[in-house]
Amino acid sequence: MAKRTKIKPNFETIAWRWMRYSGILLIPLAWFHLYLQDVIVGVHAIDIDYVALRWADLGWQTYDILLLAFAFAHGMYGLRQVSLDFFHTEKARSRLSLLLFIVWILVSIIGAVAIIAGARPDLV
């Protein structure tokens, strides 16, 4: 039996794992979201009042923030992998990775703030 070597975690291995974890978590989150919105509620019934009422609940806020963060992280990692084909130096690749990570953090924070602030108490 071959001896397993332990790989020291670095940005690449962490990003690779995060891509897999976000993909696995994204499947039930996205499917339940689609089932709830399209089948149970129906797109005809979704309006600003429905969204405000839903986001007034901490559980739905958490769910939607996780869905946003996982979906966006998954997409940003895919964009990073495709973009790495166009950057040939290690310094350029590191800068690209850092830039995409910062964009992911910023957009996730902006989205989370929008979800939390979107729960308008005057409509609940």
Side-chain angles (χ1 to χ4, degrees):
M1 183 182 281
K3 185 177 180 181
R4 293 182 79 180
T5 57
K6 183 135 175 128
I7 298 173
K8 183 179 176 186
N10 58 16
F11 180 80
E12 198 61 41
T13 58
I14 292 169
W16 183 85
R17 281 193 181 132
W18 182 251
M19 174 72 159
R20 277 27 180 204
Y21 296 151
S22 70
I24 290 169
L25 293 170
L26 200 52
I27 292 169
L29 287 171
W31 278 105
F32 179 73
H33 177 78
L34 287 172
Y35 181 73
L36 175 70
Q37 304 299 54
D38 293 344
V39 177
I40 295 175
V41 175
V43 294
H44 62 281
I46 298 174
D47 59 7
I48 189 67
D49 294 333
Y50 169 79
V51 174
L53 188 62
R54 180 176 161 161
W55 282 351
D57 183 288
L58 180 62
W60 284 118
Q61 286 178 350
T62 305
Y63 181 88
D64 285 346
I65 289 168
L66 288 174
L67 182 60
L68 169 73
F70 290 145
F72 197 58
H74 199 76
M76 290 300 280
Y77 184 79
L79 176 64
R80 178 181 169 268
Q81 288 302 107
V82 170
S83 299
L84 287 178
D85 290 342
F86 301 101
F87 294 88
H88 302 292
T89 66
E90 194 58 39
K91 187 175 184 179
R93 288 176 172 209
S94 295
R95 286 183 178 173
L96 172 70
S97 296
L98 180 61
L99 175 68
L100 292 177
F101 180 74
I102 290 169
V103 169
W104 172 72
I105 291 289
L106 288 175
V107 171
S108 294
I109 289 170
I110 291 168
V113 168
I115 289 170
I116 292 167
R120 296 176 22 205
D122 60 319
L123 292 176
V124 178

